């Protein structure tokens, strides 16, 4: 039997990809090692880890209890209507994927999407992504900025890092196309909520909001999917345009908040592509047992 542990070690030595996954480094998240408010004995050294599969640490890895404590002080100050950026770093981008930048002004009970990036997020190594704070965001001393990521390659996971920021009110008045309160809630999947992203594909968000960067082709999620919001906006629904991938038994059910143009299509499932030793390493790292088969035939092309 093949010794997959030895194979993994050899591949890591060959590619130099011993670091895992990605993390937000600016603004520094709650309990991040470079957050000046984090106590040395409370540093989260697994900041690159995804949310739990059952969603029990959503949102923000369960760290919002630190708000209104010394470790929950703001690490950046932004002005409504201004343009800023966040930084993602790490050694295993898992083929990129899709990300969202969102903001909460109610202690993390609801998040509103400021910008969506469909494909190309994050890049390998260090990458920067620009976004604009909506001009009508109310001033707050404890805004919660959230970065979420759905990886292209590897296990179906959801990543989320959150940082506390000060939001200063705009003096120029609101001129946004969509008000902050009317922006979509965060898209959630792969955390036991009945929604799943498609393997080896960049996810296409059901409701990305008015500010979105689209980089290449993207694929809708499967299952009962919508944008997360405690106000009811974006809650999952049964939908009326369920589709299926012929011969796979998988169904695609849009949520009730999905735009009509999004509901009319049928998703295309991207095939597996091992283009480099780095991708092989990522696939092996995502397998629970090293004795498992590490390759699979491409999924069917679900076209109409």
């Amino acid at each position: 039997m093949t010794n997959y542990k030895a194979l993994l070690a050899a591949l890591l030595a060959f590619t130099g990809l011993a670091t895992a996954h990605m993390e937000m480094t600016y603004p520094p998240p709650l309990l991040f090692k470079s957050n000046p408010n984090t106590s040395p004995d409370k540093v989260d050294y697994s900041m690159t880890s995804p949310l739990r599969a059952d969603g029990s640490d959503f949102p923000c890895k369960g760290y919002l209890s630190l708000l209104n404590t010394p470790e929950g002080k703001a690490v950046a100050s932004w002005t409504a209507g201004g343009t800023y950026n966040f930084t993602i770093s790490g050694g295993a981008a898992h083929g990129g994927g899709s990300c969202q930048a969102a903001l909460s002004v109610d202690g993390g009970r609801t998040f509103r999407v400021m910008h969506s990036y469909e494909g190309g997020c994050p890049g390998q190594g260090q990458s920067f992504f620009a976004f604009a704070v909506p001009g009508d965001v109310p001033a707050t001393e404890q805004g919660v900025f959230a970065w979420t990521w759905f990886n292209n390659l590897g296990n179906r996971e959801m990543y989320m890092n959150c940082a506390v920021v000060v939001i200063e009110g705009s003096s120029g008045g609101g001129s946004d196309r969509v008000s902050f309160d009317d922006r979509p809630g965060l898209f959630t999947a792969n955390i036991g909520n009945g929604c799943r992203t498609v393997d080896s594909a960049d996810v296409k968000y059901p409701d990305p909001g008015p500010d979105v960067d689209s980089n290449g082709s993207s694929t809708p999620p499967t299952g009962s999917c919508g944008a997360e919001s405690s106000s009811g906006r974006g809650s999952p629904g049964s939908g009326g345009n369920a589709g299926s991938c012929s011969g796979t038994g998988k169904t695609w059910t849009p949520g009730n908040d999905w735009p009509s143009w999004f509901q009319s299509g049928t998703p295309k499932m991207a095939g597996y592509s091992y283009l480099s030793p780095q991708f092989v390493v990522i696939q092996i790292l995502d397998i629970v047992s090293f004795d498992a088969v590490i390759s699979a035939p491409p999924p069917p092309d679900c076209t109409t």
Side-chain angles (χ1 to χ4, degrees), residues 3-56:
N3 187 334
Y4 289 109
K5 291 184 179 180
L7 175 60
L8 172 62
L11 286 172
L12 287 175
F14 176 69
T15 61
L17 291 178
T19 56
H21 305 308
M22 309 297 287
E23 62 189 356
M24 182 171 72
T25 55
Y26 180 81
L30 291 162
L31 295 190
F32 185 55
K33 59 188 176 183
S34 297
N35 185 324
N37 303 314
T38 300
S39 300
D41 60 336
K42 294 184 180 179
V43 173
D44 178 3
Y45 289 104
S46 63
M47 193 64 65
T48 59
S49 299
L51 295 177
R52 295 171 186 155
D54 61 3
S56 59

Side-chain angles (χ1 to χ4, degrees), residues 9 13 58 64 79-81 84 90 99 110 112 146 162-163 197 220 233 237 242 256 290:
F58 175 88
L64 292 183
T79 300
Y84 302 93
C99 305
T110 60
R112 298 299 175 190
C162 297
T197 56
R233 174 179 172 83
N256 291 334
F290 286 99

Side-chain angles (χ1 to χ4, degrees), residues 172-236:
S175 60
D176 295 272
R177 292 168 293 166
V178 178
S179 69
F180 179 69
D181 287 340
D182 287 334
R183 286 173 174 261
L186 271 174
F187 170 75
T188 58
N190 308 327
I191 55 172
N193 62 334
C195 183
R196 177 183 170 89
T197 56
V198 175
D199 295 347
S200 304
D202 299 328
V203 66
K204 186 173 188 63
Y205 291 114
D207 190 352
D211 299 302
V212 55
D213 291 349
S214 297
N215 300 291
S217 63
S218 53
T219 303
T222 64
S224 181
C225 303
E228 181 274 334
S229 173
S230 64
S231 66
R233 174 179 172 83
S235 58

Side-chain angles (χ1 to χ4, degrees), residues 17-23 47-50 88-94 122 124-125 147 149 151 153 155 157 159 282 285-286:
L17 291 178
T19 56
H21 305 308
M22 309 297 287
E23 62 189 356
M47 193 64 65
T48 59
S49 299
I88 306 300
S89 304
H94 290 256
Q124 190 68 29
W147 163 69
W149 169 41
N151 49 301
L153 296 174
N155 290 338
E157 297 166 329
Y159 295 79
I282 291 168
L285 285 171
D286 283 329

